[in-house]
Every structure is written in C-alpha cells, then in structure tokens.
Amino acid sequence: MPATDQVEAVAEQVFVALADPRRRGVLAVLAANGPSTATDLADRLPITRQAIAKHLALLAEAGLVTAEHGERRRVRYGLQPAPMQLAQQFLAALTRDWDHRLNALKDHLER
C-alpha cells in the first residue's frame, strides 16, 4: 500500500474511533491518568466495564491504545500517539490543499 493510502487508511480508523464520545472519554481519561485497567476506567466514567472493554477493543484496533499485561492477569491500557499523529498529518495535508485553493480564489476575485 503506498504511503499516502496507508496514512489515509490509518486516519480513517482514527476518525471512526473518535466519532463516539464515549471512546473520546476513554482516551481523555487515559491521557490524564496514564495506563489504566478497564475496571479503573469504568470507575471514572459513566460506562459499564463491559462497554469499556468493547470501546477499548475498537481503540486498540485503530492503534490508539495498547494492552500491557501485568500481574494477576490485569491488563492495563495505554495511549499510542502514532495513529493520531498520522491522522493529524492527513488533516494538515487537506488544510494545505484548501488554503492553496482558497488563496487562488481570493487572488482571482481581487483581480
């Protein structure tokens, strides 16, 4: 897969994951508190542990979190910034394209 297609595919997964406010909430708690278990997250959010587990699975599929196995079979989830950075690059490229087009339109209208 070419680099541009790969960036776009990762960006799409990130945008799908971020579309749900509960998943954004999970990411916000992880960003504020560091790696946490599903139980820790359920204690901090108005979501059941089972729902948290489903959201974590989708976030992991998008590459936004990773599971770290600890003692007593506890799994802690931590943030992974790389997919978010690729999504930001994708948006920055779109912004540059639009800025160029809007500047060209502005120049044309001013003539």
Side-chain angles (χ1 to χ4, degrees):
M1 182 181 302
T4 304
D5 290 345
Q6 185 177 11
V7 169
E8 193 169 330
V10 170
E12 182 177 347
Q13 284 187 306
V14 169
F15 298 143
V16 167
L18 295 178
D20 188 291
R22 292 167 297 246
R23 287 191 288 274
R24 291 192 305 269
V26 168
L27 292 175
V29 170
L30 289 173
N33 299 302
S36 303
T37 65
T39 302
D40 295 337
L41 292 166
D43 288 344
R44 292 186 174 104
L45 294 164
I47 310 171
T48 66
R49 190 196 168 293
Q50 291 79 11
I52 293 281
K54 289 180 182 181
H55 289 300
L56 285 168
L58 197 143
L59 291 167
E61 185 177 312
L64 293 168
V65 299
T66 56
E68 304 163 3
H69 297 278
E71 58 190 52
R72 293 184 286 153
R73 299 184 332 174
R74 291 180 57 116
V75 178
R76 299 180 82 69
Y77 293 87
L79 291 177
Q80 286 298 313
M84 190 73 73
Q85 291 166 343
L86 284 175
Q88 288 174 325
Q89 290 173 6
F90 175 78
L91 290 174
L94 287 178
T95 300
R96 282 190 302 276
D97 290 346
W98 274 104
D99 285 347
H100 175 72
R101 290 178 182 155
L102 290 173
N103 286 334
L105 177 60
K106 178 184 171 204
D107 292 344
H108 176 74
L109 293 174
E110 289 176 349
R111 286 187 206 141

